C-alpha cells in the first residue's frame, strides 16, 4: 500500500506549502513548550494571548526567558481544551481555573488559567514527580541557617511553626525538605493537607484537596487521625473568606 507520506509529498509538490498540513498539533506544541521549560530548569511556563497569537516565556531563576515560539490563537484554545479535558472551563466565566496536569512520567504541573483582555494566560508550575530525597544541606543555605533550622525550628517543642515569604522564595521546598528529614527518621505519624500535593514525600501521609470544602473537611478530620506532626499548606485560595473558613 502507498504510504500517507507519499500523498503529503505529492500535494506539497503540486500545490506548495499548506498551513493545514504543516501546522503542529496542540499536543505536540504543548510537549515542545514543556520540554523546553524542563531543559531550561524553569520554575514555571507562561503562555499568554496577544490578540490573534500567543507568546511563550519561562521563569528561570526569577529571570524572564522568552521563547522563539509564537503560536496561533486557535492553537492556544486547543491547548486549554487539552489541559482542561478532565475538568472543562465554564464558557464565559472570568474566574481563574486551577488544574493539576501530568506532563510526562517524570514531571507534573500545577496550572492556572486566567482570563485577560485579549484572551487567556496559562501559567504552568513545573514539579518533579519522584519523592523528595534531599536534605537541608543539599540546598543553597548557609551553615548558620541550617543550624538554626535543626536546633530551633525542628526542635522537640510542641507548637506552631510558620514559613512565610515572597513567591518563589522556596517556602514549600523548605517545608517539604524538613518533612522529608522527619519522615526518614520514621518515628512519627506525619500528615499534610495540600491543594494540591506538589512534591511526593515518602513516609508522609499527604492529603490533597480539589476545592475549599475538601480542604476544610480534611483539616477538620485531623483531630480523629491522631498525627504527631501536621503540615498545612493553604495555597491558591481565592479570597479572605476562604482563609477564614479554614481558620
Amino acid at each position: 500500500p502507498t504510504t500517507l507520506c507519499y500523498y503529503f509529498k505529492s500535494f506539497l509538490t503540486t500545490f506548495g506549502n499548506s498551513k493545514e498540513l504543516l501546522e503542529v498539533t496542540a499536543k505536540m506544541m504543548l510537549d515542545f513548550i514543556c520540554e523546553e521549560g524542563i531543559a531550561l530548569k524553569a520554575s514555571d511556563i507562561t503562555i499568554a494571548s496577544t490578540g490573534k497569537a500567543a507568546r511563550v516565556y519561562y521563569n528561570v531563576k526569577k529571570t524572564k526567558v522568552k521563547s522563539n515560539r509564537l503560536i496561533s490563537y486557535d492553537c492556544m484554545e486547543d491547548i486549554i481544551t487539552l489541559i482542561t479535558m478532565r475538568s472543562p472551563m465554564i464558557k464565559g466565566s472570568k474566574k481563574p481555573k486551577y488544574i493539576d496536569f501530568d506532563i510526562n512520567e517524570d514531571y507534573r504541573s500545577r496550572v492556572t488559567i486566567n482570563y485577560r483582555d485579549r484572551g487567556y494566560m496559562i501559567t504552568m508550575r513545573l514539579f518533579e514527580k519522584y519523592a523528595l530525597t534531599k536534605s537541608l544541606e543539599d540546598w543553597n543555605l548557609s551553615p548558620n541557617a541550617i543550624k538554626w533550622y535543626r536546633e530551633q525550628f525542628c526542635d522537640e517543642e510542641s507548637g506552631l511553626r510558620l514559613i512565610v515569604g515572597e513567591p518563589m522564595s522556596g517556602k514549600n521546598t523548605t517545608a517539604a525538605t524538613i518533612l522529608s528529614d522527619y519522615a526518614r527518621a520514621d518515628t512519627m505519624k506525619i500528615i499534610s493537607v495540600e491543594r494540591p500535593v506538589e512534591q511526593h514525600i515518602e513516609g508522609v501521609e499527604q492529603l490533597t484537596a480539589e476545592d475549599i470544602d475538601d480542604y476544610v473537611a480534611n483539616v477538620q478530620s485531623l483531630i480523629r487521625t491522631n498525627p504527631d506532626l501536621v503540615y498545612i499548606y493553604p495555597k491558591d485560595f481565592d479570597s479572605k473568606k476562604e482563609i477564614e473558613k479554614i481558620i
Side-chain angles (χ1 to χ4, degrees):
T2 306
T3 63
L4 189 61
C5 182
Y6 169 82
Y7 291 107
F8 280 169
K9 287 182 178 178
S10 297
F11 184 93
L12 293 175
T13 301
T14 306
F15 302 104
N17 287 343
S18 168
K19 179 184 176 183
E20 286 72 25
L21 292 181
L22 298 178
E23 190 172 45
V24 181
T25 65
K27 177 65 170 66
M28 291 178 66
M29 179 60 77
L30 183 59
D31 286 345
F32 289 150
I33 292 170
C34 290
E35 287 170 7
E36 193 169 46
I38 291 169
L40 290 170
K41 296 183 178 180
S43 57
D44 59 76
I45 301 168
T46 301
I47 309 172
S49 301
T50 57
K52 294 183 179 180
R55 53 193 168 86
V56 180
Y57 57 90
Y58 307 96
N59 184 348
V60 182
K61 296 181 179 179
K62 293 192 174 182
T63 300
K64 184 176 180 179
V65 178
K66 296 180 181 179
S67 172
N68 291 325
R69 302 185 188 281
L70 188 67
I71 63 179
S72 68
Y73 185 82
D74 290 340
C75 186
M76 171 79 161
E77 289 192 327
D78 289 342
I79 288 174
I80 292 175
T81 301
L82 177 66
I83 293 173
T84 61
M85 193 169 293
R86 292 185 178 180
S87 178
M89 294 187 70
I90 300 173
K91 289 187 177 181
S93 175
K94 302 295 178 67
K95 291 184 178 180
K97 182 74 173 179
Y98 304 109
I99 298 288
D100 197 28
F101 182 75
D102 279 339
I103 296 174
N104 53 36
E105 292 182 356
D106 300 316
Y107 284 85
R108 51 182 287 275
S109 174
R110 191 181 71 233
V111 183
T112 304
I113 303 175
N114 297 93
Y115 181 82
R116 62 194 302 260
D117 59 339
R118 290 178 291 176
Y120 291 92
M121 179 180 71
I122 304 171
T123 304
M124 303 180 66
R125 289 287 303 275
L126 301 177
F127 302 101
E128 293 179 278
K129 284 185 179 180
Y130 59 78
L132 182 68
T133 57
K134 293 185 178 181
S135 65
L136 290 171
E137 285 75 14
D138 295 318
W139 301 113
N140 187 26
L141 296 172
S142 68
N144 287 337
I146 295 173
K147 181 180 178 182
W148 180 85
Y149 272 116
R150 298 212 180 278
E151 295 180 359
Q152 303 294 325
F153 194 88
C154 301
D155 59 11
E156 297 299 322
E157 292 286 334
S158 61
L160 179 68
R161 308 288 192 275
L162 296 176
I163 299 179
V164 297
E166 63 182 9
M168 305 302 298
S169 60
K171 302 182 294 298
N172 194 42
T173 299
T174 301
T177 303
I178 292 171
L179 288 180
S180 183
D181 280 350
Y182 276 120
R184 274 193 288 272
D186 200 23
T187 59
M188 295 188 293
K189 181 177 181 179
I190 306 170
I191 301 178
S192 72
V193 182
E194 305 173 53
R195 185 192 179 194
V197 172
E198 290 188 350
Q199 185 79 59
H200 296 291
I201 308 170
E202 289 292 338
V204 177
E205 310 299 338
Q206 295 175 274
L207 309 182
T208 188
E210 294 295 329
D211 54 39
I212 182 65
D213 292 326
D214 288 346
Y215 198 96
V216 172
N218 276 311
V219 171
Q220 291 175 343
S221 73
L222 294 176
I223 298 174
R224 297 172 181 247
T225 58
N226 193 30
D228 297 306
L229 180 64
V230 172
Y231 173 48
I232 304 293
Y233 185 40
K235 181 70 174 174
D236 291 340
F237 293 110
D238 297 329
S239 66
K240 180 180 177 183
K241 187 175 181 181
E242 288 189 342
I243 298 295
E244 290 174 345
K245 192 173 183 180
I246 297 171
I247 295 172

